[in-house]
Each structure stands twice: as structure tokens, then as C-alpha cells.
Amino acid sequence: MTASAVEQLRKEGNELFKCGDYEGALTAYTQALGLGATPQDQAILHRNRAACHLKLEDYDKAETEASKAIEKDGGDVKALYRRSQALEKLGRLDQAVLDLQRCVSLEPKNRVFQEALRNIGGQIQEKVRYMSSTDAKVEQMFQILLDPQEKGTEKKQKASQNLVVLAREDAGAEKIFRSNGVELLQRLLDTGEADLMLAALRTLVGICSEHQSRTVATLSVLGTRRVVSILGVENQAVSLAACHLLQVIFDALKEGVKKGFRGKEGAIIVDPARELKILISNLLELLTEVGVSGQGRDNALSLLIKTVPRKSLKDPNNSLTLWVIDQGLKKILEVGGSVQGPPGELAVTANSRMSASVLLNKLFDDLKCDAERENFHRLCENYIRSWFEGQGLAGKLRAIQTVSCLLQGPCEAGNRALELSGVMESVIALCASEQEEEQLVAVEALIHAAGKAKRASFITANGVSLLKDLYKRSEKDSIRIRALVGLCKLGSAGGTDFSMKQFAEGSTLKLAKQCRKWLCNDQIDPGTRRWAVEGLAYLTFDADVKEEFVEDEAALKALFQLSRSEERSVLFAVASALVNCTNSYDYEEPDPKMVELAKYAKQHVPEQHPKDKPAFVRARVKKLLAAGVVSAMTCMVKTESPVLTGSCRELLSRVFLALVDEVEDRGTVVAQGGGKALLPLALEGTDVGQTKAAQALAKLTITSNPEMTFPGERIYEVVRPLVSLLHLNCSGLQNFEALMALTNLAGISERLRQKILKEKAVPMIEGYMFEEHEMIRRAATECMCNLAMSKEVQDLFEAEGNDRLKLLVLYSGEDDELLRRAAAGGLAMLTSMRPSLCSRIPQVTTHWLEILQALLLSPNQELQHRGVVVALNMVEASKEIAGTLMESEVLEILSVLAKGKESPVTRAAAACLGKAVEYGLIKPNQGGE
């Protein structure tokens, strides 16, 4: 029984492999291996698995599987050949050639093996030539760079550029590495010259990129502490280059080797987890070191954000996060609670505290259970208490600043901290301080606390009069602007609900006018003007404020300029204001019956502002487009900053979707770089954000030329986001737009069709061909017909035991003319490319003849033409089918069509009759017709 089950599964796997379902084939072969197959069967199954991995471009696994097959049967020539293919792709040519030589010795007359051996021999010779020619070059470059006489010369600059370029190629990186390169690069770093340090760091990126053993060797030569310390230098370009190098080192340690000289990998035995912890430990130490630049501190926080939390919550292991919380939470809080400016304090930038908030939020979100979250709260509260109690006024300020940092990050922890004895009272008291620095800290804390439901009522009762007093009486703009934001935040508590207004009629408009005035005042520093945007982010819930804001060209221009400034913490507020102006937040029309019930029960019923009706929203979108909103958002998307969080990306995606809603606006969005900006938004961020960006991409792809909208290689990046919209959790509109966009792409080139196939879209598209909604069903059919130009899809239609062909034939007889056109077009193409399908058409349904006749008699010339082409393909495919057609009314219809006015239809009809004459089925008329 076992042997037959193994055989059955192997055959299933083979069929799936032929149909292009490599994942399915892998599963079948794996199941067969689990049934206790014989050694001979095991060898076949392992080599088949190797073939699947080759198709899936997972060359490491392909090599492993082929090696297992060779262990079972040393003379398995197919396994040897597959292993050689995998080794070649992995760059291990010396090992690949040994396998190919063995293949040729086993089958000397096999031309495929001979050709492969010749090709790989040429590659090896090329590599040897390249290596020998670069030997002298590498030595010469280092001589020039380390020569004190060549200081600042053009020669030195060129040598450094050449070294960086050489390191980008794996063979070049290996050459530098083996030429004592890391020690020589260390000497360049030790010079302290910015240009030489940049060259050294960029070369080290090439050496470490995706290569674990070279990375570990580099760290052992340079020292982890030394590499991390470069982050802290004052020169921003050097600090950024060091940040890039450390990111590459993290990736290499986490992922291991994807390419490179595998044979040498085992030379250094390492525990990647230990190396990672040493690196992270050094980064945490750097956070609180005096003398480290603010930019360096920001870069360290950015690295921790990218590398510590899990990439996916499906990964059960969050041990690195727990370790960082235990080892470094206090250090992160120290940065978050630091005050910018005073001597002796840590050097921070305008973005440092926000980056600390983002990191704290990511760490908190990565926790899995209440016990882990409770530990986080305990550590935060102990830290805040340590400053708040017994450290005087300076300690209280630091504690309050830390609470602000938590409220902007993991607000649950911030709320808990606010409830600590005396904290809220101190905030209120310090708002009345005579010292500007103390007031600033207290008012900011009050603003952040105001957004939290638990505290909003307390602040409304205790803080509103205080904030109003500060706004009216303070002589300092920095205080007035923050007090105003606090009032804005409290004033917008009703959100978009027109009936819930916190302040008197017209107050919000006055506040907004003052915010716009401050925003436009470029004499005020960006850090303070950012608060004006924060205020507008809250006030723009009010439609009257939205209308006035989009009319104010100077304010919009100032907003967009500020979004491009170094003040990165403004991004979320800018995005929020734009979401409000475009009404791209989620809004559901209340059910009229529920509204009546609520009124009857005297419950509150939310009301929409009259100026939030679609016509007003469309007008606002037009004004934003005219003001250059797309260019500003494109710059925001490019921001390399932790502040561009998943939530911020989602807001930008929402705005983009609103901007492309009207067909006539899409050209403007594309012209200003919107297509390019949407790609990263569709590939990274929250699930909602990615879906919204993907839908915006779909809308652009439907109505514009995709090759113009996404030039070059970018067009291939659009496929994955579009395929993601086919999943069942997306709406019907999203499914429909994705199908339409994929139809457009599938009609462009074979390479794009292959990309769609690779993203496993075909089974989902087939599913939508059965959809009840006629527009979705039609779009799926059109998409499948365009994909049918690919050999793999034709194979699916030709495979035995499926109803794909039957569905197309039946759809060709449907009432929906557009569906008929799509299905008939697919039939015409498939019967042309695969004549064997012609003989199967009469077998799939008894109604095939009347469907074909209806196509031929259609008043729509397109349908008629497709019908005649199908008839011609069937006639040419076999005499038997031609006979069936000529015995039916089709002969009469074709005769009439052939006599019509010269057109593709008449030519195809005449060709049908000509073929029937050739078969001797009919006789020509006396006139030779």
C-alpha cells in the first residue's frame, strides 16, 4: 500500500509541476517522502524537490535536495545536473564544474551537459582573468589612499571611488577582503579624514553585504565597539554611512549567506544571535554617551527600530525585544526625556525624542502577554519615579518630559505614568511657571495628555482655563502656539461630528486662522511652527476650517515646505491634516432606521457637516492638487526617518487614494511623481495602508499607459500590490480594479505575464471568473484571456480533467456582450495557439454549435470576427470537425459572410470555405467561389 501511495503522490507532484504549481508539487513530494519510500524512490523525490526549488529560485534548498538524492544514488545524473545548476546560481563555479564533469563522464553524448560544461568553463576563465587583473589594482588603490603626499588630490578621490565601485561586485569584494583589505580600510578610518572614512565605510558595505563570514571577520578586525562609535561623529555624511554599514551587518548576521563563497563559510564558526546582541548592546550604550552627536543618536535609534522588533507577529520569537527592554529601556527613556539645549545634557536633534517614542512603541507592540507588558510598565514607572522624587525641579521636568515621550509612543504606558502620584498636578502647576523652558515642557505634556480619553475630561475641567490664559497673556510665541494646540485638541474632541462642538460658534475658525498665521511666519523656527500644523491637524475635523485652509495658498505652500524640512516630527501632523481635508478617513453612512431608533431613544446621533458632502470634497482635492500636494507627499514618502511610521504611511496612502479618485486628476498625480511614491507605500506599512496604496496603483494602471506611469523596471514592482487586492478580505471594488489593472499589464509583454504567474495570481483570477457580480466576472475573464498568451496558461487549458475550456465556451454564449467578447477572444487565441483544443470544444458542451452560430450571426462585428476565427481554427485543426461544421447551418452563415464587404470577417469566412473545399467536403460554385 505504501509503495502505491508514494507512486501516486509522485505522479500528482509531476502533474502539478507540469502545470507550473511548484509549491503544490513540493508538498506532494514531501508527503511521499514521509510515507517511508524506498532509497531509490527517495533519490527521485529529492531530485524532484530540487527541480521545484530551482524553479522557485531558492538555490540553497535546491543544492541541499540534490545532494540528498546523490547520497542515495551517486550515479543519479539528473540530481548531479540540478546540483550543478544550483551551485552555478550561487556563484560556486568550482564546485558546479565538478558535478558537470561527472555528468559528462556518465553520459558522454549528452549535448546539454557538454554545452553547460563549456559555458561554465568560460565563466571560470573570465573570473580568473578578472581576479588577476584586479590584484594589482587593489594594491595600487590602497597605496594612493594611504600615501600622505597625495592628500586631497584628484588621484586620491578617483582611487576611493574605484574602491567603492569594485566592492559592489561580489568578486571584487572578495578580492579586497583577501588582499588584507579590512586592515587597510581600518587605517583609512583611523585617519579621521571625512572623505577617506566615507570611502572606507562604503567599501566595507560591499564586503559585508549578504555575506556572514566576511561580516564576522570584519567585525573581529575592526571591533564592534569601533564600528558603532563611528555613528557618533559630528560629520553627518560619515554617521549616515556608518548607519548603512551597520544595517548591512545586521542583515548579514540575521539572514546568513544568500550568495558568496560558501566553501569558505565554515572557516569561522559563529553564533549570529550572540554577535547581534553584542552589536545591539553597543548601540544601547551609545544612546547615553556624552560626546555623541545628535545625528548619531538618531541613527542609533533608527537602527534599533529596524532590527530589534519582529518583522512579523507570526514569528513566535520576541526574545530580542525582551532582552533590549531589560538591558536598555532606561537608556531609551533617557533620550526620550532629554531636554534640547542645556549644556551637560545629551546632544539631541529635533527628531530624537520622536524617534525614541517610535522605538518604545515598537517594543511595546512586540510584547506577547500581560506579564511582559506589566514588566514594561514597571520599568517605565520606576524610571519616572526615580527622577520625579527627590531630584528637585530639574528631576520633575525630566520625568514630565519622559511621560510626554511615552504618550507619543506606547500611550498605555504614558497613561499609567500620568496616574502616578503628583505627576498631573505638577504639569498643571508648571504651566504657570515664569521660566519658558519649564512652561514648554509642561504645556507639551498637557497637549499629549489631552488626546487620551482617560485624561481629556480632567484637562477640560482643569486645563482649558489655564491654556486660554497662557494663549492670551503669554508674550512668548513658543508658549502661545503650544497653548493654542492644546485648545485645538480639546476643541476637536467631537471629530467629524458636526453636532458635537466643544467651543462657541466661530472659535475653531479663529484658532485655525491663528495657526495658519504662525505657519506662514518663516521668522519662527520650524520646531515651533510644527505646533501650528499639529493644531491644524485637529482643527481640520471641522469642514469650515478645511474650506478656509485650502483657499489659503500661502498656508498650503508653507505646509508643504515644512514637510520637506529637517523637522521630521511634523510629517504625521501634515498627513493628518491632508486626510481631514480630503475626507479620506473611514466614514460609514449611518443606517436611516438606526438613526430613527437613536432619536426615539434620545441617543446622540452623529451629523455630517454640509461642507463635507462629495462636491465640496472634490473641490478641495482639486485645490490641493493645484497647490502641489503630490510633490510634497512624494518627498515625505522618501524620508529615511523612524517618524515615517506604518500609521503615517497609511495616512499618506489614504490621501493618494482620494487624489486619484477622479479619472481626470490621475494624469496630474502621475506627472508629479505619484506613481513612484505609491510603490513603497503599497509594499510596506499597515495592512490597511498597503491596501489603500495598492488600490490607488490599480486606478492609475487602469486609466493610464502603465509603461509611462511606471517606467523601466518599476512596472514589474506594481504586480505584487495588485495581486494582493485579489484576496478575499478585499472589497468587491478592489477586486474589480485589480483585475482591470492586471488585464492591462498582461497585455503588454510576456515578462509581465510571467511576473503575474509567479505571484500566483492565476488561481485567484480563475476563482473570480465564477463570481456572481457580472463586472467582476467579466474583468476576470478579460484578464485570463490576456494571460492565455503565455505558454503556462495554455498548458492549464490543455491539461486533462478541467473545465477551463468549457467555461470559456459557455461564456461565449452569455447575454452580457462584454463578457461574450472577452470569452470569445480567449477562445480565438487558444484555438489558434493550441489546435488540440479545437477537437475538445464539441466535447465540453452540447450547446457549442449554437453558441458558435450566435457569434457568427452577431450584429457586433468584433464578436462576429472572433467567432469566424474560432471556426477557421476548428476547420484547420481537423477534417472531422470541419465536416460537422459544414453539415450544420454554419456553412450557410459562412457563405453569406464570405460575400460581404472586404473585411477581416469576410477573409476568415472565405478561408474556412476554402479549407472545406480542400478537404472535399463542399464544392466551389461555378464561378470558382
Side-chain angles (χ1 to χ4, degrees):
M1 176 64 191
T2 304
S4 62
V6 168
E7 181 63 20
Q8 181 61 34
L9 279 166
R10 186 166 69 82
K11 283 181 178 174
E12 276 179 32
N14 293 350
E15 284 303 315
L16 289 165
F17 187 90
K18 284 177 192 171
C19 295
D21 184 358
Y22 307 121
E23 295 278 7
L26 259 178
T27 305
Y29 297 141
T30 307
Q31 286 173 350
L33 278 168
L35 294 176
T38 63
Q40 189 180 356
D41 280 340
Q42 284 178 26
I44 294 168
L45 290 164
H46 280 302
R47 108 185 157 207
N48 287 0
R49 280 170 58 82
C52 293
H53 286 305
L54 282 171
K55 289 286 187 186
L56 293 166
E57 297 179 16
D58 192 339
Y59 303 116
D60 277 321
K61 286 182 181 172
E63 185 224 340
T64 305
E65 290 296 333
S67 296
K68 286 178 182 175
I70 294 161
E71 281 171 26
K72 305 285 179 192
D73 179 3
D76 188 336
V77 76
K78 286 186 180 177
L80 282 163
Y81 180 58
R82 282 169 194 168
R83 187 167 73 173
S84 77
Q85 288 178 295
L87 290 165
E88 183 184 351
K89 291 289 186 183
L90 291 166
R92 289 148 60 193
L93 304 181
D94 49 345
Q95 292 168 270
V97 82
L98 294 174
D99 281 347
L100 278 173
Q101 284 170 345
R102 177 98 174 105
C103 289
V104 171
S105 68
L106 290 167
E107 291 187 15
K109 292 181 181 177
N110 190 315
R111 288 185 180 178
V112 173
F113 298 159
Q114 290 168 2
E115 187 62 31
L117 189 58
R118 267 197 299 278
N119 287 341
I120 212 160
Q123 287 181 53
I124 289 172
Q125 285 174 358
E126 186 60 38
K127 193 169 178 178
V128 168
R129 267 201 306 277
Y130 176 75
M131 288 295 209
S132 57
S133 69
T134 52
D135 267 0
K137 285 181 188 172
V138 170
E139 200 176 321
Q140 192 182 9
M141 285 179 218
F142 278 116
Q143 275 178 357
I144 294 167
L145 291 169
L146 293 166
D147 184 353
Q149 303 300 316
E150 295 282 359
K151 194 169 185 180
T153 63
E154 192 181 327
K155 203 173 176 185
K156 205 164 194 172
Q157 194 178 2
K158 197 168 183 184
S160 66
Q161 286 172 351
N162 289 342
L163 197 63
V164 174
V165 170
L166 184 65
R168 284 180 191 150
E169 291 293 327
D170 191 69
E174 182 71 10
K175 189 72 245 167
I176 296 168
F177 180 72
R178 298 201 168 280
S179 303
N180 203 29
V182 179
E183 287 86 349
L184 294 168
L185 290 167
Q186 185 176 25
R187 286 171 61 189
L188 290 180
L189 290 172
D190 291 340
T191 62
E193 290 180 39
D195 288 348
L196 292 181
M197 290 179 80
L198 280 171
L201 291 165
R202 287 166 182 165
T203 306
L204 285 165
V205 165
I207 289 172
C208 297
S209 187
E210 296 182 340
H211 205 298
Q212 194 175 22
S213 70
R214 289 203 299 247
T215 299
V216 175
T218 300
L219 284 174
S220 66
V221 172
L222 298 177
T224 307
R225 183 82 197 124
R226 170 82 177 96
V227 179
V228 172
S229 68
I230 301 169
L231 269 182
V233 300
E234 286 295 336
N235 187 300
Q236 285 195 16
V238 172
S239 179
L240 267 175
C243 182
H244 185 205
L245 171 61
L246 284 164
Q247 183 65 59
V248 165
I249 288 171
F250 273 119
D251 291 344
L253 290 176
K254 274 190 165 183
E255 303 300 328
V257 182
K258 287 181 181 172
K259 62 176 183 177
F261 295 75
R262 185 70 173 276
K264 285 92 181 178
E265 279 299 318
I268 298 168
I269 298 166
V270 294
D271 174 10
R274 181 176 168 276
E275 294 292 328
L276 276 170
K277 282 188 175 177
I278 292 169
L279 258 180
I280 290 169
S281 178
N282 277 291
L283 283 174
L284 291 169
E285 291 295 327
L286 186 87
L287 289 180
T288 53
E289 268 182 34
V290 178
V292 170
S293 68
Q295 176 76 26
R297 205 161 264 116
D298 287 359
N299 286 335
L301 287 166
S302 181
L303 281 166
L304 290 166
I305 288 165
K306 287 176 186 171
T307 52
V308 175
R310 291 170 291 171
K311 288 278 185 283
S312 165
L313 294 179
K314 291 175 185 173
D315 175 5
N317 183 9
N318 69 339
S319 59
L320 200 54
T321 293
L322 297 176
W323 183 82
V324 167
I325 288 170
D326 287 338
Q327 300 295 314
L329 187 64
K330 287 181 182 177
K331 293 181 172 67
I332 301 163
L333 289 170
E334 196 170 328
V335 177
S338 59
V339 183
Q340 204 175 344
E345 283 283 344
L346 298 177
V348 290
T349 70
N351 302 312
S352 301
R353 287 200 299 275
M354 183 58 83
S355 295
S357 294
V358 171
L359 175 56
L360 289 165
N361 196 46
K362 292 254 184 189
L363 293 173
F364 189 77
D365 286 347
D366 205 35
L367 299 176
K368 293 193 292 187
C369 63
D370 288 344
E372 291 174 1
R373 284 184 276 274
E374 197 54 46
N375 178 54
F376 187 95
H377 290 314
R378 183 178 54 78
L379 289 169
C380 290
E381 287 165 20
N382 289 345
Y383 177 83
I384 290 163
R385 270 202 208 94
S386 72
W387 281 104
F388 193 76
E389 296 165 5
Q391 296 278 356
L393 186 57
K396 281 187 168 56
L397 282 173
R398 183 176 271 280
I400 291 167
Q401 189 81 289
T402 308
V403 172
S404 282
C405 176
L406 286 168
L407 285 166
Q408 290 176 86
C411 57
E412 192 180 316
N415 271 326
R416 288 267 297 253
L418 276 176
E419 287 161 17
L420 292 173
S421 176
V423 172
M424 201 67 217
E425 291 75 10
S426 292
V427 171
I428 300 286
L430 282 168
C431 281
S433 168
E434 294 296 314
Q435 296 295 317
E436 185 180 359
E437 290 77 15
E438 294 167 12
Q439 267 190 313
L440 284 175
V441 170
V443 173
E444 283 187 23
L446 198 62
I447 293 166
H448 297 311
K452 313 305 164 195
K454 283 186 181 178
R455 286 283 154 191
S457 55
F458 173 87
I459 293 163
T460 306
N462 298 280
V464 170
S465 57
L466 181 64
L467 288 169
K468 281 183 178 174
D469 197 49
L470 283 171
Y471 175 58
K472 287 174 185 171
R473 298 203 178 136
S474 177
E475 293 172 11
K476 303 177 187 78
D477 274 349
S478 57
I479 300 296
R480 290 188 69 218
I481 202 166
R482 285 164 171 79
L484 178 89
V485 172
L487 292 169
C488 294
K489 204 165 184 180
L490 292 166
S492 66
T496 57
D497 184 356
F498 180 48
S499 61
M500 277 184 72
K501 291 294 154 201
Q502 305 290 312
F503 298 146
E505 190 68 41
S507 292
T508 48
L509 284 172
K510 283 179 188 170
L511 292 174
K513 191 173 182 181
Q514 185 58 57
C515 279
R516 297 204 310 274
K517 186 178 169 185
W518 271 319
L519 175 61
C520 295
N521 185 352
D522 54 14
Q523 300 303 307
I524 302 174
D525 69 281
T528 304
R529 284 166 71 207
R530 164 205 152 198
W531 287 97
V533 184
E534 292 273 356
L536 286 166
Y538 293 108
L539 292 172
T540 46
F541 279 121
D542 185 316
D544 288 315
V545 173
K546 299 179 200 184
E547 286 295 314
E548 284 196 3
F549 186 35
V550 296
E551 290 291 346
D552 189 340
E553 287 182 27
L556 288 177
K557 190 178 176 185
L559 180 80
F560 299 154
Q561 280 179 341
L562 196 59
S563 73
R564 293 183 173 99
S565 72
E566 291 299 310
E567 183 65 42
R568 295 301 183 208
S569 47
V570 78
L571 295 183
F572 192 86
V574 173
S576 300
L578 291 173
V579 164
N580 291 342
C581 288
T582 56
N583 283 37
S584 46
Y585 40 71
D586 290 327
Y587 175 78
E588 281 186 28
E589 285 285 344
D591 183 338
K593 289 181 183 175
M594 295 303 291
V595 170
E596 287 304 315
L597 269 174
K599 283 179 181 174
Y600 180 73
K602 296 185 179 173
Q603 294 291 316
H604 172 71
V605 180
E607 291 176 28
Q608 190 183 34
H609 195 292
K611 289 180 182 175
D612 273 333
K613 295 281 190 284
F616 283 94
V617 176
R618 279 197 294 273
R620 289 201 291 269
V621 166
K622 301 267 188 226
K623 284 165 189 168
L624 285 170
L625 284 167
V629 67
V630 177
S631 301
M633 286 171 61
T634 303
C635 289
M636 288 166 74
V637 173
K638 288 178 187 170
T639 303
E640 282 289 329
S641 167
V643 178
L644 194 68
T645 57
S647 306
C648 191
R649 284 170 171 274
E650 181 185 318
L651 294 178
L652 292 172
S653 298
R654 287 176 179 277
V655 179
F656 267 122
L657 185 56
L659 296 178
V660 300
D661 193 49
E662 295 288 317
V663 175
E664 63 265 28
D665 294 333
R666 293 174 194 174
T668 308
V669 173
V670 171
Q672 293 181 14
K676 184 180 178 182
L678 276 165
L679 282 168
L681 292 175
L683 296 167
E684 192 181 338
T686 65
D687 289 343
V688 172
Q690 288 184 48
T691 302
K692 301 273 183 194
Q695 193 179 357
L697 283 171
K699 287 178 187 288
L700 291 179
T701 310
I702 291 166
T703 53
S704 60
N705 179 349
E707 291 172 289
M708 301 281 281
T709 308
F710 311 104
E713 292 296 302
R714 209 171 290 147
I715 195 168
Y716 303 101
E717 294 173 40
V718 181
V719 174
R720 182 171 295 173
L722 294 180
V723 172
S724 72
L725 292 177
L726 296 178
H727 292 293
L728 294 173
N729 56 348
C730 292
S731 69
L733 177 62
Q734 289 165 343
N735 299 154
F736 172 70
E737 289 181 331
L739 289 164
M740 293 278 282
L742 288 168
T743 303
N744 264 7
L745 293 179
I748 290 172
S749 72
E750 179 57 27
R751 190 176 162 200
L752 269 168
R753 288 191 286 276
Q754 288 299 322
K755 178 69 177 167
I756 295 169
L757 293 173
K758 195 174 176 183
E759 293 295 338
K760 302 182 175 61
V762 171
M764 290 187 276
I765 295 166
E766 284 187 324
Y768 287 115
M769 288 175 74
F770 293 93
E771 179 68 40
E772 282 183 33
H773 196 292
E774 63 178 26
M775 288 174 74
I776 294 177
R777 188 167 67 234
R778 184 197 308 150
T781 307
E782 286 174 354
C783 191
M784 184 56 74
C785 292
N786 275 4
L787 286 171
M789 288 186 266
S790 284
K791 175 185 174 295
E792 288 82 356
V793 176
Q794 292 162 19
D795 290 342
L796 292 175
F797 276 90
E798 206 170 28
E800 292 295 329
N802 73 77
D803 289 333
R804 293 183 180 95
L805 186 66
K806 180 178 181 178
L807 188 65
L808 276 192
V809 174
L810 291 173
Y811 277 178
S812 298
E814 282 284 305
D815 292 336
D816 178 354
E817 193 168 290
L818 291 170
L819 177 62
R820 285 177 78 196
R821 193 173 69 184
L827 263 186
M829 186 190 303
L830 283 164
T831 51
S832 172
M833 308 287 258
R834 297 291 172 99
S836 60
L837 291 173
C838 295
S839 58
R840 285 172 50 188
I841 288 176
Q843 298 164 17
V844 295
T845 172
T846 52
H847 302 291
W848 71 275
L849 200 53
E850 56 197 80
I851 289 169
L852 183 59
Q853 287 171 4
L855 285 174
L856 294 171
L857 291 167
S858 171
N860 181 314
Q861 195 144 17
E862 261 191 273
L863 275 176
Q864 205 173 50
H865 181 235
R866 289 168 192 211
V868 178
V869 170
V870 172
L872 176 59
N873 292 337
M874 292 179 78
V875 167
E876 289 181 337
S878 90
K879 185 176 178 180
E880 188 185 340
I881 300 171
T884 307
L885 289 172
M886 292 306 127
E887 287 165 10
S888 70
E889 290 174 25
V890 169
L891 172 59
E892 194 179 332
I893 298 167
L894 288 172
S895 301
V896 172
L897 291 176
K899 290 172 186 172
K901 189 180 173 185
E902 174 69 14
S903 71
V905 173
T906 56
R907 286 195 293 274
C912 281
L913 296 172
K915 194 69 183 173
V917 170
E918 195 181 306
Y919 286 142
L921 298 170
I922 58 173
K923 291 178 182 178
N925 292 343
Q926 287 179 347
E929 294 177 359

